[in-house]
Amino acid sequence: YTDGMEWVYLSTSGQSFKDLTTRLDIMYEMLFMRPTSTEAVAQMYNHLGGDVHPRFMMTQSRFNELRNLLKTDETLKSYYNYLVNKYGPNSAEFKDKPVVYSLPDGKRLLSISRKAKDRIIPWAMLYKLTDNEQYAARIWDEVNALINFKDWHPDHYLDTAEILYPMAIAYDWLYDKWQPEQRKKMEIAVRDFGLKTGLDRYEGRVGH
């Protein structure tokens, strides 16, 4: 059986490999030995030098390097100016209202998810490069709108995943900026709207 993902399954037992769960079990056994959650966290802390933020894609030392480079590197300056023009406080994106839950085609939240993603990540980068409080406040407006959605449309999980991504960026990159109650709201939303619904589908309890 060929599953279309560059895997070919051969069996002398006559077993069918068309069942996704069976194929995933085989792939997990062959690809890697998964660490326990305790081991994974310990490895992360060892790599980062402790329980520090940011740690998702970027570290604070890397942001510091970028801030210094911004003074001399013309390519980085050009990119920064692009971000300010498109997403800065005087831009249409910045002045627009936060996203609102809707399924434009009756089936998908994806356009809304991507709109939020395409705002939050640039604003997070601009905040880390400037410490401009306006960006943090605008990020929270957008994040809070997502938190108050009725769900992140897990029936099509890509819609959910494209909210999880900017939520992770916002939570991690601005971790020290958020108040404990703000972080708690984000954690609950990520857990309930994102991770739990993802595991339900990943482990075959719901949907496909």
Side-chain angles (χ1 to χ4, degrees), residues 2-21:
T2 303
D3 69 1
M5 298 171 62
E6 300 182 2
W7 283 80
V8 177
Y9 304 84
L10 303 175
S11 173
T12 59
S13 68
Q15 179 180 2
S16 171
F17 294 104
K18 293 186 178 181
D19 176 68
L20 177 60
T21 300

Side-chain angles (χ1 to χ4, degrees), residues 141-185:
D141 288 343
E142 207 75 21
V143 163
N144 196 46
L146 296 170
I147 288 171
N148 286 289
F149 279 9
K150 65 185 183 72
D151 58 38
W152 292 345
H153 201 242
D155 288 345
H156 195 287
Y157 200 74
L158 180 60
D159 302 6
T160 305
E162 296 222 20
I163 293 178
L164 280 169
Y165 176 27
M167 288 290 286
I169 292 284
Y171 180 88
D172 180 52
W173 289 11
L174 280 76
Y175 184 87
D176 294 331
K177 174 63 183 174
W178 305 131
Q179 295 298 314
E181 58 269 23
Q182 291 175 303
R183 291 199 295 265
K184 189 66 175 179
K185 287 181 179 180

Side-chain angles (χ1 to χ4, degrees), residues 90-194:
N90 295 321
S91 68
E93 289 286 353
F94 193 94
K95 294 177 180 178
D96 197 10
K97 295 179 180 179
V99 289
V100 176
Y101 189 101
S102 67
L103 307 177
D105 61 0
K107 299 179 181 179
R108 301 288 298 277
L109 186 69
L110 191 58
S111 62
I112 305 301
S113 303
R114 288 179 172 172
K115 186 175 184 178
K117 178 192 70 175
D118 292 344
R119 290 173 165 182
I120 290 171
I121 295 175
W123 288 333
M125 176 60 76
L126 286 166
Y127 175 78
K128 295 300 290 185
L129 292 176
T130 65
D131 289 329
N132 186 331
E133 296 290 336
Q134 292 181 87
Y135 293 121
R138 186 62 184 84
I139 290 169
W140 178 251
D141 288 343
E142 207 75 21
V143 163
N144 196 46
L146 296 170
I147 288 171
N148 286 289
F149 279 9
K150 65 185 183 72
D151 58 38
W152 292 345
H153 201 242
D155 288 345
H156 195 287
Y157 200 74
L158 180 60
D159 302 6
T160 305
E162 296 222 20
I163 293 178
L164 280 169
Y165 176 27
M167 288 290 286
I169 292 284
Y171 180 88
D172 180 52
W173 289 11
L174 280 76
Y175 184 87
D176 294 331
K177 174 63 183 174
W178 305 131
Q179 295 298 314
E181 58 269 23
Q182 291 175 303
R183 291 199 295 265
K184 189 66 175 179
K185 287 181 179 180
M186 297 169 77
E187 291 164 6
I188 291 171
V190 165
R191 181 195 68 195
D192 293 348
F193 289 163

Side-chain angles (χ1 to χ4, degrees), residues 187-204:
E187 291 164 6
I188 291 171
V190 165
R191 181 195 68 195
D192 293 348
F193 289 163
L195 302 181
K196 283 186 175 180
T197 59
L199 283 173
D200 284 342
R201 282 151 180 81
Y202 188 71
E203 296 175 353

